[in-house]
């Protein structure tokens, strides 16, 4: 673990000098911890990886479960000041998917899918710095299933990365994805979602499929616009959906 941390620190320092890398055996949630630190005024760039989370969190107040050795859970926190925040989670998703395997797809807005099963998810949270200013401390939390797990209780069955990469372990997978994620965050801050749009479309798990939005609207998905909103063709015409849950309707 120490050698992995040091290798990662050197790798990330080249992209963002001074970024700290910390690995802990157990924590409630890597996102919660970085949020606590930000609220206490600790705003230095940091990557925190935990072997085990006791209160891992997903989007919409859901739990994020993962066992040591069977999942990778980490958060990257740094101050960001993009002119427009829309599409950040999609940009991060693109970076993770491209770094992992050609079979990894993106399910708008935050999920990583393989064969319509959930490989992982992204939870982004931000905190305003105590002294104000244009930047927000941005915490990108990523959870990836390494081992396949029991599908019971999941609307979308989980997928384990080892089904694609049999030798995947947390440390090496982290080394594979951390720099691309950091690069995506820094690139997004400078150029917004534009450089990621076509790359998202290339891995869009919903493209051309029948979908249902959380407000009950049915339609078909047609990629994302320049801000990362999902384009859905509905009975009332094309809609750009910026916030909603989307499910695939069975064919
Ligand atoms: C989702 O699919 O709803 C998002 C899941 C995000 C899980 C990761 S694991 C590391 C970080 N810490 C957390 O508590 N959550 C994120």
């Amino acid at each position: 673990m120490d050698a992995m941390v040091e290798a990662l620190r050197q790798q990330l320092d080249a992209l963002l000098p001074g970024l700290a890398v910390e690995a802990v055996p157990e924590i409630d949630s890597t996102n919660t911890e970085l949020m606590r630190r930000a609220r206490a005024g600790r705003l230095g760039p940091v990557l925190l990886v935990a072997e085990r989370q006791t209160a891992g969190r997903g989007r919409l107040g859901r739990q994020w479960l993962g066992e040591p050795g069977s999942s990778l859970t980490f958060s990257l926190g740094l101050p960001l000041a993009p002119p427009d925040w829309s599409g950040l989670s999609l940009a991060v998703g693109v970076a993770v998917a491209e770094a992992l395997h050609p079979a990894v797809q993106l399910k708008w807005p935050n999920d990583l899918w393989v064969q319509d099963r959930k490989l992982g998810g992204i939870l982004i949270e931000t905190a305003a710095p105590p002294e104000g200013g244009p930047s927000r401390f941005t915490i990108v939390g990523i959870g990836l299933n390494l081992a396949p797990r029991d599908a019971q209780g999941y609307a979308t069955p989980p997928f384990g990365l080892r089904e694609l990469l049999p030798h995947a372990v947390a440390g090496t997978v982290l080394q594979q994805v951390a720099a691309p994620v950091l690069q995506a965050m820094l690139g997004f801050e400078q150029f917004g979602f534009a450089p990621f749009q076509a790359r998202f479309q290339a891995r869009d798990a919903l493209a051309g499929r029948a979908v249902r939005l959380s407000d009950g609207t049915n339609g078909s998905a047609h990629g994302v616009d320049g801000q990362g909103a999902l384009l859905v063709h509905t009975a009332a015409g094309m809609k750009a959906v910026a916030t909603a849950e989307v499910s695939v309707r069975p064919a």
Side-chain angles (χ1 to χ4, degrees), residues 27 49-50 52 60 75-76 103 147 197 204:
I27 200 149
V49 55
R52 180 163 184 271
L60 307 167
S75 301
L76 192 50
Q197 185 181 5
D204 184 358

Side-chain angles (χ1 to χ4, degrees), residues 18-20 41-47 77-79 137:
L19 187 142
R42 294 170 64 187
L43 302 170
V46 59
L47 183 147
L78 55 132
F137 192 75

Side-chain angles (χ1 to χ4, degrees), residues 79-239:
L80 283 187
D84 179 358
W85 288 88
S86 33
L88 174 58
S89 69
L90 281 65
V92 170
V94 166
V96 176
E98 288 178 350
L100 285 176
H101 192 279
V104 178
Q105 290 195 301
L106 297 159
K107 190 266 182 178
W108 188 93
N110 289 63
D111 285 357
L112 295 145
W113 274 15
V114 179
Q115 299 158 11
D116 281 1
R117 290 158 59 199
K118 183 160 169 166
L119 168 67
I122 299 163
L123 176 66
I124 299 186
E125 298 175 302
T126 68
E131 74 280 11
S135 70
R136 295 183 69 82
F137 192 75
T138 306
I139 301 162
V140 168
I142 298 176
L144 295 175
N145 301 317
L146 300 180
R149 57 163 106 136
D150 187 4
Q152 203 157 18
Y154 292 96
T156 305
F159 184 93
L161 186 60
R162 287 189 197 128
E163 295 176 63
L164 284 177
L165 303 170
H167 305 295
V169 292
T172 50
V173 176
L174 180 60
Q175 279 181 288
Q176 224 172 312
V177 299
V181 170
L182 176 57
Q183 254 161 345
M185 291 172 77
L186 298 173
F188 179 87
E189 180 178 44
Q190 221 181 335
F191 303 108
F193 181 63
F196 299 95
Q197 185 181 5
R199 291 156 67 191
F200 183 91
Q201 317 267 36
R203 289 178 181 255
D204 184 358
L206 298 180
R209 297 177 74 176
V211 294
R212 172 166 295 135
L213 306 181
S214 39
D215 67 1
T217 309
N218 288 331
S220 53
H222 294 278
V224 293
D225 70 11
Q227 277 69 49
L230 183 69
L231 295 170
V232 181
H233 192 246
T234 72
M238 193 69 95
K239 280 175 68 161

Side-chain angles (χ1 to χ4, degrees), residues 29-31 53 56-59 64 73-74 118 121-122 142-143:
S29 147
T30 53
N31 263 43
Q53 296 188 126
R57 294 184 291 111
R59 291 173 61 240
W64 178 264
T73 50
F74 73 99
K118 183 160 169 166
I122 299 163
I142 298 176

